[in-house]
Amino acid sequence: METARPSVIVAIDGPSGTGKSSTSKAVAAELGLSYLDTGAQYRAITWWMLNNGIDVSNPEEIATAAAKPVIVSGTDPAAPTITVDGEDAAGPIRTQEVTSKVSAVSAVPEVRTLITGLQRSIAAAATGGIVVEGRDIGTTVLPDADLKIFLTASPEARAARRSGEVKGSDLTVTREALIKRDAADSGRKTSPLAKADDAVEVDTTELTLQQVIECVVTLVEGKRVAA
């Protein structure tokens, strides 16, 4: 009889355009793990605020409203879902309007406290293990994760990938937007984007997506063997 493989919690952090989501979903699917896109949760609360007339340039207004929406994340890597107050939000949260406002909303401490608690409860409930991707997973959300990976890539490579995802987008504008968001996420006081001291850094600039996936799978399997 096959021995059950040990449960493993994998934290994958990094800025936009490094292949974080594609890698995380593929690794989770290949290894039979659950998957959580934490960025989608911050996008979801931002989308709710925009829809409900909250002034997202006002931190106090954001903080007051933060606990109102009910956000539920599905953890199947083959078909991850996210709902807000029971409404499917997977498509709406990817609009440019949400993208341009999510850093401001996610910088508010009350928002981060609420979403971090939600993320920890999802990770704790994942039987068999989970791949959690975001910007502060290894440093703040799951500092005791079994494996921490920090994906990086040059701004040019990241912009090219993002432009490929969004039809008609301008490469220069996309690059500038990425750099601006990096600065906002890295510079916020609460849980900034940062590489954990014990994270494995993987530069994806010159790698294909499949090569990145294989690299991460190897790291996870190595951690399981060690366990």
Side-chain angles (χ1 to χ4, degrees):
M1 191 170 74
E2 186 179 345
T3 304
R5 290 188 292 183
S7 176
V8 62
I9 293 179
V10 182
I12 299 184
D13 290 305
S16 301
T18 54
K20 205 165 62 234
S21 293
S22 300
T23 299
S24 298
K25 280 187 281 193
V27 168
E30 186 167 330
L31 298 177
L33 302 173
S34 297
Y35 160 76
L36 178 61
D37 175 0
T38 64
Q41 296 174 317
Y42 286 107
R43 285 176 171 274
I45 198 168
T46 302
W47 174 68
W48 180 90
M49 291 192 178
L50 290 169
N51 276 4
N52 285 273
I54 307 301
D55 180 0
V56 294
S57 65
N58 185 330
E60 290 183 4
E61 202 169 319
I62 292 170
T64 301
K68 293 180 180 179
V70 176
I71 298 169
V72 178
S73 298
T75 57
D76 178 357
T81 58
I82 188 159
T83 63
V84 181
D85 295 339
E87 182 179 351
D88 179 11
I93 65 172
R94 301 295 171 182
T95 63
Q96 185 55 44
E97 183 183 22
V98 172
T99 299
S100 66
K101 300 290 193 291
V102 67
S103 286
V105 174
S106 62
V108 175
E110 289 82 356
V111 171
R112 297 209 76 83
T113 298
L114 276 162
I115 299 294
T116 295
L118 177 60
Q119 292 161 0
R120 286 175 176 160
S121 66
I122 291 170
T127 56
I130 189 169
V131 177
V132 183
E133 62 141 307
R135 285 169 165 72
D136 65 339
I137 311 306
T139 53
T140 301
V141 180
L142 300 169
D144 295 324
D146 300 298
L147 175 64
K148 302 174 188 178
I149 295 169
F150 193 85
L151 298 184
T152 64
S154 70
E156 291 74 22
R158 293 164 52 212
R161 290 167 187 165
R162 272 295 148 97
S163 292
E165 293 169 6
V166 184
K167 291 181 180 177
S169 59
D170 181 277
L171 189 61
T172 303
V173 172
T174 302
R175 181 179 180 275
E176 289 174 356
L178 285 174
I179 291 172
K180 185 178 179 182
R181 183 164 181 198
D182 288 350
D185 290 346
S186 301
R188 65 173 176 246
K189 292 181 180 178
T190 307
S191 303
L193 163 66
K195 176 190 169 188
D197 291 339
D198 54 347
V200 178
E201 184 169 323
V202 179
D203 189 331
T204 69
T205 303
E206 302 293 337
L207 302 178
T208 64
L209 175 59
Q210 191 55 43
Q211 286 173 323
V212 179
I213 293 166
E214 289 170 3
C215 173
V216 176
V217 166
T218 299
L219 289 168
V220 177
E221 291 288 32
K223 185 61 68 173
R224 274 179 161 171
V225 169

